[in-house]
Amino acid sequence: MIESQEVKANAGKRHSYESESEAKGSCSSSSLRNEYPHSFNDPEDYFCEEAYCLCMVGLPGMGKTFVAHRLARWLRFFHDVNVKVFNLGNERRKIVGTKIKHTFFDSKVKANIAIYDKIRSQALDKIKSFLVADRKPRIAIYDACSHTKETRKWLIEKIGPKIKIIFIECIVNDPMILKNYLGELRNSMPDYEGMDFNEALEDYQKRIQHFRRLYEPMHNSALSWIKLVDNAESLTLNRISGFFPGQIVNFLMNLHTVPRPIYLSRHGQSEYNALGKIGGDSGLTEEGIQYAKKLAVFAEEHILTGGGKNKKAARKDKCANARHARMYTSTLRRTNETVQFVDHRVQNDGWVTLRKRQWRALDELFAGVFDGMTY
């Protein structure tokens, strides 16, 4: 009797444990279910705060278009931002064609001003549509003169308060820089394609005078603007803050608006090259030495003269101050021996010709355990 009572008692305990575990299991499975998952809803009035409109300011021929396209390419490549340049001249050509005279820009002709205002409105509508097309960071660059206070005020009102506006003013006082810009007139402007250079230059200078008569430089302390004078020889900022504006300033400070060709050269044949070995830090072979000597001749006759005697190469490699060239190498022996015959004479102004500077970042990637092995 006693044993049977103990068995019944144990059975009762087992039953209570099983009931309890079933209850716990039921509770835990219920807790695993997510009946009301977290949702990602956009605010009703959502707008990305990283939307900017960069408005170029300045007279024609001051390098605004060059700066706009270089800035757009840099932002697109290094910051993965959706950037687009809106050139007012291109919008104008779609409506009135390319073959127009300087008189079209005369503010005294009211009929032309009305057409020009219509073109600007259409361009601004395209900018607004581009900036609000999605909820990702976008930057529009408005490439136009925007040369009066009234025009800039109209731009601000037209674009609206949700988009951050930064004005970038380009000023050129150096006659040599201005001469270089005007010298590229026929190649860079569809308006003068196929026209006699002197005729095109005369018309363009008259066009500049129409804008100069009304031109008002940036001085409004309530606006955000960057002022570049003579290719950033002088740079003035006003109300510039934030990540993208800071990056833009850094780029503009180091921007060159005149041609500066870059020459790339491999090192001469090294001892490891001849043996078919990977990496290492060997010196040059006899063939490598011969290459180094020819490279020094090329530098003297071609690089330091901005293209040399060959007229086609001279046009392609045109440089305002070719003799002030710089030279960079890696820290490896083979690259330094490759440039050993390059002349480093001191010029009249104290500049050391092609002074060598070593960069570890230019070193060949280390091959690890394979360093020194054959291919």
Side-chain angles (χ1 to χ4, degrees):
M1 289 291 292
I2 297 173
E3 289 181 4
S4 62
Q5 287 178 355
E6 287 179 356
V7 171
K8 288 181 181 178
N10 290 334
K13 286 182 182 179
R14 233 183 358 256
H15 178 72
S16 64
Y17 289 151
E18 288 173 358
S19 302
E20 187 178 346
S21 358
E22 284 177 8
K24 286 183 178 178
S26 168
C27 194
S28 60
S29 63
S30 174
S31 64
L32 290 174
R33 290 198 302 269
N34 186 6
E35 298 175 355
Y36 306 101
H38 184 91
S39 58
F40 297 90
N41 300 317
D42 293 329
E44 293 180 0
D45 192 23
Y46 182 87
F47 189 80
C48 177
E49 293 184 358
E50 295 299 330
Y52 291 89
C53 182
L54 309 180
C55 299
M56 307 304 296
V57 176
L59 296 172
M62 299 294 143
K64 299 186 301 299
T65 299
F66 177 85
V67 172
H69 283 278
R70 286 291 300 274
L71 181 58
R73 186 171 64 179
W74 177 78
L75 286 167
R76 193 178 297 120
F77 184 82
F78 286 100
H79 294 280
D80 194 26
V81 181
N82 196 344
V83 186
K84 188 173 181 180
V85 178
F86 296 84
N87 183 279
L88 188 62
N90 291 337
E91 296 297 322
R92 166 178 54 80
R93 294 179 193 103
K94 292 176 184 177
I95 296 176
V96 298
T98 57
K99 304 303 180 183
I100 58 171
K101 296 294 185 180
H102 66 90
T103 51
F104 177 81
F105 303 94
D106 190 349
S107 59
K108 297 176 182 177
V109 182
K110 294 184 179 181
N112 290 344
I113 296 302
I115 298 173
Y116 206 65
D117 288 343
K118 180 182 178 182
I119 296 169
R120 283 191 303 179
S121 294
Q122 291 180 358
L124 264 292
D125 288 339
K126 290 182 179 180
I127 288 175
K128 290 182 69 176
S129 298
F130 168 76
L131 289 173
V132 300
D134 58 32
R135 297 185 174 96
K136 296 179 180 179
R138 284 177 172 244
I139 297 178
I141 302 179
Y142 179 54
D143 182 16
C145 289
S146 305
H147 59 299
T148 66
K149 294 178 181 178
E150 183 181 353
T151 301
R152 296 191 284 268
K153 181 181 177 182
W154 175 82
L155 282 173
I156 295 170
E157 294 173 352
K158 183 76 174 177
I159 294 173
K162 290 185 178 181
I163 298 169
K164 300 176 183 177
I165 301 176
I166 299 176
F167 294 96
I168 302 176
E169 184 176 19
C170 297
I171 299 174
V172 176
N173 296 323
D174 189 325
M176 288 302 296
I177 298 176
L178 192 58
K179 184 179 178 181
N180 289 334
Y181 284 156
L182 296 179
E184 297 293 325
L185 195 62
R186 284 181 299 182
N187 299 327
S188 60
M189 290 202 66
D191 293 350
Y192 300 112
E193 187 176 357
M195 189 182 292
D196 175 73
F197 176 73
N198 292 327
E199 182 183 351
L201 183 61
E202 181 183 0
D203 185 86
Y204 195 63
Q205 288 176 332
K206 289 180 179 178
R207 180 190 297 192
I208 294 174
Q209 291 306 316
H210 290 311
F211 284 91
R212 191 186 297 277
R213 190 168 60 248
L214 302 174
Y215 182 57
E216 297 173 298
M218 293 293 307
H219 290 302
N220 191 335
S221 59
L223 302 180
S224 297
W225 48 265
I226 304 168
K227 183 176 294 191
L228 299 168
V229 180
D230 292 338
N231 297 338
E233 288 293 327
S234 171
L235 189 143
T236 309
L237 313 178
N238 187 73
R239 289 185 176 272
I240 299 297
S241 61
F243 176 74
F244 278 130
Q247 294 297 304
I248 290 168
V249 169
N250 182 59
F251 175 77
L252 293 177
M253 287 176 66
N254 296 281
L255 177 66
H256 298 294
T257 56
V258 292
R260 278 175 168 77
I262 299 174
Y263 301 88
L264 303 175
S265 171
R266 287 294 307 272
H267 59 77
Q269 186 188 54
S270 69
E271 296 172 10
Y272 269 25
N273 288 150
L275 295 172
K277 290 187 174 183
I278 301 172
D281 195 15
S282 60
L284 298 183
T285 63
E286 187 57 39
E287 288 188 13
I289 296 294
Q290 293 302 316
Y291 176 84
K293 290 179 179 179
K294 289 184 178 181
L295 181 63
V297 174
F298 178 84
E300 183 66 34
E301 295 182 353
H302 191 97
I303 297 176
L304 296 176
T305 57
K309 298 178 182 179
N310 186 308
K311 291 184 179 179
K312 186 176 180 180
R315 284 197 301 271
K316 180 181 178 183
D317 298 345
K318 183 180 178 182
C319 185
N321 194 2
R323 303 199 70 80
H324 278 199
R326 300 177 181 273
M327 182 170 67
Y328 302 115
T329 72
S330 73
T331 63
L332 299 175
R333 179 182 169 190
R334 52 187 177 271
T335 59
N336 286 278
E337 289 185 3
T338 299
V339 298
Q340 62 182 304
F341 301 108
V342 174
D343 188 11
H344 300 297
R345 62 187 177 276
V346 180
Q347 300 179 24
N348 294 333
D349 59 358
W351 183 273
V352 178
T353 304
L354 289 170
R355 175 185 284 173
K356 182 177 67 176
R357 182 170 181 180
Q358 296 182 351
W359 291 88
R360 189 173 293 279
L362 295 176
D363 288 0
E364 182 178 320
L365 292 176
F366 179 49
V369 296
F370 299 103
D371 191 55
M373 292 185 180
T374 56
Y375 289 96

